[in-house]
Amino acid sequence: MAVLDRRLLSDNTDVADDGMLTVGGCRIDDVAAEFGTPVFVYDETHLRDRCREAVGAFGYGRVIYATKAFLCRAMARLAYDEGLLLDVASGGELHVAMAAGVPASACTLHGNNKSLDELRTAISAGVKHVIVDSFDEMDRIDALARDGVVGPDGSAPDVVLRITPGVSAYTHEFISTGQDDSKFGFNLGNGDATRAVDRARRATSMELVGVHCHIGSNVFEASSFAKAAEVMADFAIPLDLPELVLGGGLGVAYVEGEEAPTMTQWGNVLLDACEALGVRSKVSVEPGRAIAAAAAMTVYTVGTVKDIPGVRTYVSVDGGMSDNPRPVLYGSGYESFLPRAVDDPRELTARLVGKHCESGDVLSFSAQIPADTAVGDLLAMPVTGAYGQSMGSNYNKITRPPVVFCADGDARLVVRRETLDDLLATDVG
């Protein structure tokens, strides 16, 4: 069986003389000893380099980091310091971003069902713009205006209308968003998009500054983005609005054999298409996964190896669906390896499972790992930097893992491990 494809690891990884993997100059066994397992280990320089690549591809002020992929105060500050705006999809994400020192004016508010409180907070704080998703949301913005809710400068909020362009991307149905049958946005095909533009232009409660689309998540085909750009250009050009936001969704390779466009290639496809189509608006994008996913790995400790002759071998680790629900939700594939033996042949096919009371608690249905994998080994799963920590849960009252940023030989704790007392913090008895 082939060894691990090192291209799946973050940029600043290496192997020490004794065979132990290092990330940002930090030994994985040392990180595990200091912070315990499971632990999310981020290559901080990798994160910064992806942010810089995105700005280089699209331009300053045109990249909006999708915080739903991974957010904590350290990540919010990092993205903002590297010239990115922040896309927040809830009042909670906005709160974390602002707590990190990111001004509201550098944030854009998403969400298909924003509450009155979320809208009030965002408008009062002065977010860059609200991405309006429905006529009901327009009603709420109208009501807030009647109540005197305005931005810090006394003006109505800038809004961008989310359009459903009728473009289907090849991805899992749960993360496909651009098709006509979607909970998101104003449908282009049935005329809702045009009606929304007319209403927003007539309203005094909002200032229409652009249109937006997002076709899905983890999309590998650049042609899907080009098609969305074409459809949106046809709609946007006659409107002559200052902003055209083409969303995110750029995929990343999770397993051996997968290929995804780079940030630069994505930029070339979108911007070349927009230029050829005659788009005059400022074109912005919202990458999340492409910034964060490959920057991190999750490190576990093997607790049980159970071989059932003639059936399969189960390898259980001390995490599971509570720190990475994607395999359960989407059937997502991941590679796995032993940090002590990065380049060893992976001759054992096992089902890699977590510690939860759930038969579906599977991290990898057919994990390839070294045949000598044993209880007590550290086991790592790469490309877990997006939609792992952010989608985590406390199922079975398991405490959430810590997050560590590694760079220049320094392992810096940015999110501590939850304690058992944290599980009681909101339990009022």
Side-chain angles (χ1 to χ4, degrees):
M1 179 57 64
V3 300
L4 177 74
D5 184 347
R6 285 215 204 172
R7 291 175 299 178
L8 295 172
L9 301 179
S10 62
D11 292 347
N12 303 286
T13 56
D14 204 350
V15 175
D17 291 342
D18 64 354
M20 178 57 63
L21 183 73
T22 65
V23 176
C26 303
R27 291 174 59 97
I28 288 299
D29 56 348
D30 288 344
V31 173
E34 181 174 359
F35 301 105
T37 60
V39 56
F40 290 100
V41 181
Y42 278 81
D43 179 340
E44 182 174 354
T45 303
H46 181 117
L47 285 171
R48 292 188 182 278
D49 286 346
R50 287 301 176 276
C51 291
R52 292 168 187 173
E53 184 185 0
V55 172
F58 290 95
Y60 187 82
R62 298 184 177 217
V63 183
I64 311 168
Y65 173 62
T67 63
K68 60 182 178 289
F70 165 60
L71 180 63
C72 62
R73 284 181 290 183
M75 183 63 206
R77 280 192 295 269
L78 184 152
Y80 180 66
D81 288 347
E82 295 297 340
L84 276 59
L85 306 177
L86 273 65
D87 147 21
V88 297
S90 71
E93 289 181 351
L94 177 61
H95 183 74
V96 172
M98 292 177 64
V102 178
S105 58
C107 299
T108 64
L109 180 66
H110 263 288
N112 69 297
N113 188 26
K114 306 176 191 71
S115 69
L116 271 172
D117 283 343
E118 287 174 322
L119 288 167
R120 181 184 295 107
T121 298
I123 293 169
S124 300
V127 294
K128 176 178 171 56
H129 55 243
V130 176
I131 299 90
V132 175
D133 208 277
S134 68
F135 292 111
D136 288 334
E137 185 175 337
M138 287 183 164
D139 291 343
R140 286 192 277 274
I141 294 174
D142 286 345
L144 289 169
R146 288 193 297 270
D147 288 343
V149 176
V150 293
D153 62 355
S155 64
D158 287 347
V159 302
V160 169
L161 302 181
R162 180 163 180 170
I163 309 302
T164 308
V167 176
S168 296
Y170 182 71
T171 187
H172 194 283
E173 63 176 315
F174 288 179
I175 49 177
S176 182
T177 60
Q179 71 281 4
D180 285 338
D181 183 4
S182 174
K183 75 173 187 176
F184 296 103
F186 297 97
N187 191 286
L188 185 60
N190 70 6
D192 278 351
T194 298
R195 286 187 284 274
V197 168
D198 291 342
R199 175 170 170 179
R201 280 184 154 165
R202 286 185 282 106
T204 59
S205 61
M206 63 192 80
E207 182 68 29
L208 179 63
V209 298
V211 290
H212 170 286
C213 80
H214 180 73
I215 59 173
S217 189
N218 206 35
V219 178
F220 289 142
E221 295 295 330
S223 58
S224 296
F225 295 110
K227 178 61 177 176
E230 179 181 351
V231 172
M232 289 301 294
D234 287 344
F235 181 67
I237 288 172
L239 302 177
D240 198 26
L241 295 167
E243 302 267 354
L244 173 59
V245 187
L246 293 176
L250 179 64
V252 299
Y254 281 95
V255 296
E256 186 174 353
E258 287 186 338
E259 298 274 348
T262 65
M263 198 81 70
T264 301
Q265 290 168 336
W266 185 44
N268 290 339
V269 167
L270 282 181
L271 296 182
D272 288 351
C274 288
E275 182 179 1
L277 293 162
V279 172
R280 296 180 298 275
S281 307
K282 183 180 82 172
V283 176
S284 300
V285 291
E286 300 167 328
R289 186 191 311 270
I291 298 286
M297 65 180 66
T298 310
V299 180
Y300 303 98
T301 299
V302 174
T304 302
V305 178
K306 176 182 178 180
D307 181 50
I308 307 175
V311 182
R312 76 176 81 253
T313 298
Y314 286 90
V315 174
S316 302
V317 296
D318 54 352
M321 62 191 293
S322 58
D323 58 74
N324 187 2
R326 293 187 69 251
V328 176
L329 292 174
Y330 311 134
S332 303
Y334 286 89
E335 300 287 352
S336 49
F337 67 99
L338 303 184
R340 65 168 172 80
V342 179
D343 295 323
D344 280 14
R346 298 179 299 160
E347 300 166 330
L348 174 64
T349 300
R351 181 155 293 179
L352 183 61
V353 297
K355 63 178 292 172
H356 300 283
C357 276
E358 190 82 32
S359 294
D361 177 23
V362 178
L363 290 169
S364 178
F365 288 89
S366 298
Q368 302 296 319
I369 53 178
D372 64 348
T373 298
V375 171
D377 267 332
L378 297 178
L379 184 147
M381 181 171 279
V383 201
T384 57
Y387 303 105
Q389 194 264 357
S390 67
M391 294 177 71
S393 75
N394 289 123
Y395 182 46
N396 288 150
K397 296 302 183 186
I398 299 297
T399 55
R400 291 180 176 90
V403 178
V404 176
F405 279 11
C406 293
D408 301 322
D410 178 51
R412 176 168 65 103
L413 184 68
V414 298
V415 178
R416 67 165 173 81
R417 185 182 303 281
E418 286 183 333
T419 67
L420 294 178
D421 285 341
D422 288 330
L423 298 176
L424 301 174
T426 59
D427 188 337
V428 297

